[in-house]
Amino acid sequence: MRKIWNVSTTLRNPNRILGFLEVISQLEGQYWDEATQNEYQILLIKEKKYRPDIVHPALKNEQISYEEAKDIYDKARYIGKSMRGRVSFNPLKKLGFVKLESDKIKISKSGKKLISGEYSLKDALTIGLSKWKITANGANIKPYIGTLHFLNRLEEKTGSSNGITEHEFGCFVMTLKRYDEIDNFVNDLVNYRNNKFNLNSLLKKYENANSLDDYIDNNRRYFEETNYISFYGWRLRLNNHYMEEIKKLLSKDDARAF
């Protein structure tokens, strides 16, 4: 079965990205092995960018020493310790802020510009999400670019710039797996609005549909922190202030991942 796509379940608040990125930058140039993965999570605790769900006296301190952070990490009941560091690393890698070169940690150009302040979070996320690809299990799409195409084609089809509701976003956009299915899903949404489409027939195809509401909330948080998508009255729509840039982008990128 297919899966509904989701930016990240690790960093539900995109405003935490910069802190996670600043911490991993301390390890740039090191091999991304088990020891470094453990080290990354310890440093996240030390810098108060991550708080484990345990009781520990040092967590109440204004500052946490490295030794205290390591003790907190050691006492946290993680299954596969180094996996926690990999999970914390994955959103940064997915968004293109950090990469591995010859198995060594390297902060990308956009990552460095975000750290230095040359890029705002909106600028960095717009760039990062525009490059995000899904290719597993027959998928071929850039989800963020696909969303822009979906909204643009819906607007062209209906003549309305009112966009879509969060629920429509989850059911008809977050289920997109291929760039060449966008028009079909736009038609499905129009038919749904005309009471000619049963959502159950769509959602039953997705094995993680029971988490749809969580994924909607998470993806909304990320997408509304970009330049090209806005939320007004709980509706997702193209940002009219950037229409020239959006049209230019869509003319060059059809949302295919490969």
Side-chain angles (χ1 to χ4, degrees), residues 89-100:
F89 179 86
N90 285 341
L92 304 179
K93 183 180 179 183
K94 179 186 289 187
L95 293 168
F97 299 141
V98 63
K99 54 188 175 180
L100 296 177

Side-chain angles (χ1 to χ4, degrees), residues 24-25 27 48 56 98 114 132 136 164 205 221 243 256:
I24 196 66
S25 69
L27 302 172
K48 291 198 164 186
H56 193 287
V98 63
L114 177 57
W132 173 32
I164 56 179
K205 300 176 183 177
R221 289 170 183 262
M243 286 306 298
R256 73 178 71 195

Side-chain angles (χ1 to χ4, degrees), residues 192-222:
Y192 165 72
R193 288 178 174 178
N194 293 328
N195 298 315
K196 297 179 180 179
F197 191 90
N198 187 336
L199 281 183
N200 290 331
S201 63
L202 172 67
L203 295 178
K204 70 181 182 181
K205 300 176 183 177
Y206 299 89
E207 62 181 79
N208 56 348
N210 60 328
S211 299
L212 179 62
D213 288 343
D214 286 339
Y215 293 161
I216 290 172
D217 180 66
N218 194 49
N219 289 327
R220 178 188 62 78
R221 289 170 183 262
Y222 273 83

Side-chain angles (χ1 to χ4, degrees), residues 178-195:
R178 295 187 57 84
Y179 74 97
D180 51 6
E181 293 179 341
I182 295 174
D183 285 330
N184 293 337
F185 277 59
V186 168
N187 290 333
D188 285 344
L189 171 56
V190 172
N191 287 333
Y192 165 72
R193 288 178 174 178
N194 293 328
N195 298 315

Side-chain angles (χ1 to χ4, degrees), residues 208-248:
N208 56 348
N210 60 328
S211 299
L212 179 62
D213 288 343
D214 286 339
Y215 293 161
I216 290 172
D217 180 66
N218 194 49
N219 289 327
R220 178 188 62 78
R221 289 170 183 262
Y222 273 83
F223 281 23
E224 71 178 334
E225 282 293 339
T226 69
N227 290 321
Y228 298 156
I229 291 179
S230 300
F231 275 83
Y232 297 104
W234 301 104
R235 296 184 73 89
L236 175 79
R237 64 187 72 182
L238 296 176
N239 189 336
N240 290 330
H241 298 294
Y242 287 88
M243 286 306 298
E244 184 176 346
E245 291 93 331
I246 292 170
K247 295 289 187 180
K248 184 177 180 180

Side-chain angles (χ1 to χ4, degrees), residues 10-23:
T10 305
L11 287 171
R12 293 183 179 274
N13 184 349
N15 289 297
R16 297 176 64 198
I17 287 174
L18 178 57
F20 272 55
L21 183 58
E22 289 173 333
V23 172

Side-chain angles (χ1 to χ4, degrees), residues 4-256:
I4 296 166
W5 49 256
N6 184 38
V7 179
S8 171
T9 54
T10 305
L11 287 171
R12 293 183 179 274
N13 184 349
N15 289 297
R16 297 176 64 198
I17 287 174
L18 178 57
F20 272 55
L21 183 58
E22 289 173 333
V23 172
I24 196 66
S25 69
Q26 298 178 35
L27 302 172
E28 187 172 19
Q30 297 188 30
Y31 282 103
W32 185 238
D33 53 21
E34 186 173 332
T36 309
Q37 291 156 17
N38 288 324
E39 181 76 0
Y40 179 42
Q41 201 63 31
I42 292 170
L43 289 174
L44 285 172
I45 296 171
K46 176 182 178 296
E47 301 296 336
K48 291 198 164 186
K49 306 302 181 184
Y50 176 81
R51 181 186 176 95
D53 188 21
I54 66 169
V55 176
H56 193 287
L59 289 171
K60 298 180 180 180
N61 297 343
E62 184 174 344
Q63 293 184 327
I64 299 175
S65 69
Y66 180 86
E67 291 73 19
E68 289 170 331
K70 186 176 184 305
D71 188 56
I72 293 168
Y73 180 67
D74 289 339
K75 290 178 178 177
R77 296 179 180 178
Y78 296 129
I79 299 175
K81 285 282 189 177
S82 60
M83 182 183 71
R84 183 64 252 180
R86 293 195 297 275
V87 169
S88 296
F89 179 86
N90 285 341
L92 304 179
K93 183 180 179 183
K94 179 186 289 187
L95 293 168
F97 299 141
V98 63
K99 54 188 175 180
L100 296 177
E101 289 189 352
S102 302
D103 295 326
K104 290 184 178 180
I105 301 165
K106 182 176 178 59
I107 309 300
S108 69
K109 289 182 180 179
S110 60
K112 289 183 182 295
K113 288 183 177 182
L114 177 57
I115 292 173
S116 69
E118 185 175 346
Y119 278 171
S120 67
L121 180 61
K122 280 188 175 294
D123 291 338
L125 281 178
T126 302
I127 294 170
L129 286 170
S130 294
K131 296 178 180 179
W132 173 32
K133 301 177 181 180
I134 298 178
T135 58
N137 301 318
N140 183 0
I141 195 167
K142 295 177 182 176
Y144 181 73
I145 300 296
T147 302
L148 296 178
H149 273 291
F150 186 100
L151 292 170
N152 184 58
R153 294 181 196 181
L154 178 66
E155 185 171 325
E156 291 175 347
K157 186 176 183 67
T158 63
S160 171
S161 59
N162 286 333
I164 56 179
T165 66
E166 287 186 315
H167 189 65
E168 291 172 343
F169 174 46
C171 295
F172 295 98
V173 181
M174 289 163 46
T175 53
L176 272 168
K177 287 299 181 180
R178 295 187 57 84
Y179 74 97
D180 51 6
E181 293 179 341
I182 295 174
D183 285 330
N184 293 337
F185 277 59
V186 168
N187 290 333
D188 285 344
L189 171 56
V190 172
N191 287 333
Y192 165 72
R193 288 178 174 178
N194 293 328
N195 298 315
K196 297 179 180 179
F197 191 90
N198 187 336
L199 281 183
N200 290 331
S201 63
L202 172 67
L203 295 178
K204 70 181 182 181
K205 300 176 183 177
Y206 299 89
E207 62 181 79
N208 56 348
N210 60 328
S211 299
L212 179 62
D213 288 343
D214 286 339
Y215 293 161
I216 290 172
D217 180 66
N218 194 49
N219 289 327
R220 178 188 62 78
R221 289 170 183 262
Y222 273 83
F223 281 23
E224 71 178 334
E225 282 293 339
T226 69
N227 290 321
Y228 298 156
I229 291 179
S230 300
F231 275 83
Y232 297 104
W234 301 104
R235 296 184 73 89
L236 175 79
R237 64 187 72 182
L238 296 176
N239 189 336
N240 290 330
H241 298 294
Y242 287 88
M243 286 306 298
E244 184 176 346
E245 291 93 331
I246 292 170
K247 295 289 187 180
K248 184 177 180 180
L249 174 62
L250 297 185
S251 70
K252 295 181 178 180
D253 193 331
D254 61 3
R256 73 178 71 195

